[in-house]
Amino acid sequence: MAFLLRGFTALQRASPSLASLSTGMVVMGTGDALVQVAGNGSLDIGRSAVSSVYSGMTSPGIYHWWKALDATWPGSALRSVCRKVLVNQAVLGPLNCALFLGWSHCAMSCIRGNSQSSREEPGMSAVASEAVQRIQTEVPDLAVKAMGVWIPVHTITFRFVPPHLRI
């Protein structure tokens, strides 16, 4: 285990974006697979791949966003941590929910080769319309529910995890 931590730390220091990309993909893909198997006993590889790729694409940007928050409010004192967590949730929370819903809807439609709303209106135009409708309908509730998870997680992250080890 110490070997893995040393390797990750070296990669994170040498190439933080690559480390964030690969770690985001592994963590999200593994987490999604575990949730599926625990929930219904089966695994949809396509769904896990879509989640994993999304996390890989966004993790480097999130890493640099967090660096900006750390530069704006340095340190791990409670006041700094609270500011970082609240700004992160207000800005990144709803944006991340919208991007994930849009990405996952479009990517899964491409994998499955279908549109949910209409067999008469095939193609990416229908898929994009469905994604927009899904974002408009689901993001407000999802963003509020996500706060219940991410506010405590990010409080712990900003308080106790050194910036170069955050994923």
Side-chain angles (χ1 to χ4, degrees), residues 5 16 38 54 78 81 100-101 103 114 130 135 166:
L5 182 58
Y54 174 81
L78 194 54
V81 168
F100 179 76
L101 286 175
W103 163 259
N114 65 4
E130 293 167 1
I135 289 166
R166 297 179 189 154

Side-chain angles (χ1 to χ4, degrees), residues 50-73:
V50 166
S51 296
S52 182
V53 169
Y54 174 81
S55 186
M57 290 186 315
T58 58
S59 291
I62 292 170
Y63 171 80
H64 291 288
W65 164 250
W66 286 354
K67 279 182 68 171
L69 292 177
D70 284 329
T72 304
W73 297 291

Side-chain angles (χ1 to χ4, degrees), residues 19-148:
S20 294
L21 180 146
S22 56
T23 306
M25 288 184 77
V26 169
V27 169
M28 183 68 147
T30 303
D32 183 69
L34 291 173
V35 165
Q36 288 182 58
V37 170
N40 62 17
S42 65
L43 177 63
D44 179 346
I45 297 288
R47 178 184 135 169
S48 291
V50 166
S51 296
S52 182
V53 169
Y54 174 81
S55 186
M57 290 186 315
T58 58
S59 291
I62 292 170
Y63 171 80
H64 291 288
W65 164 250
W66 286 354
K67 279 182 68 171
L69 292 177
D70 284 329
T72 304
W73 297 291
S76 59
L78 194 54
R79 174 175 264 174
S80 293
V81 168
C82 288
R83 288 177 175 162
K84 288 185 260 194
V85 168
L86 292 175
V87 169
N88 187 65
Q89 276 311 120
V91 174
L92 196 59
L95 176 63
N96 193 43
C97 289
L99 290 174
F100 179 76
L101 286 175
W103 163 259
S104 62
H105 182 81
C106 292
M108 290 304 294
S109 293
C110 287
I111 289 170
R112 294 187 175 130
N114 65 4
S115 164
Q116 293 177 352
S117 67
S118 170
R119 298 285 181 220
E120 297 171 14
E121 188 185 346
M124 288 309 293
S125 177
V127 171
S129 294
E130 293 167 1
V132 169
Q133 182 179 7
R134 186 171 178 203
I135 289 166
Q136 291 172 337
T137 312
E138 295 180 32
V139 165
D141 188 48
L142 180 59
V144 170
K145 288 179 180 176
M147 286 181 196

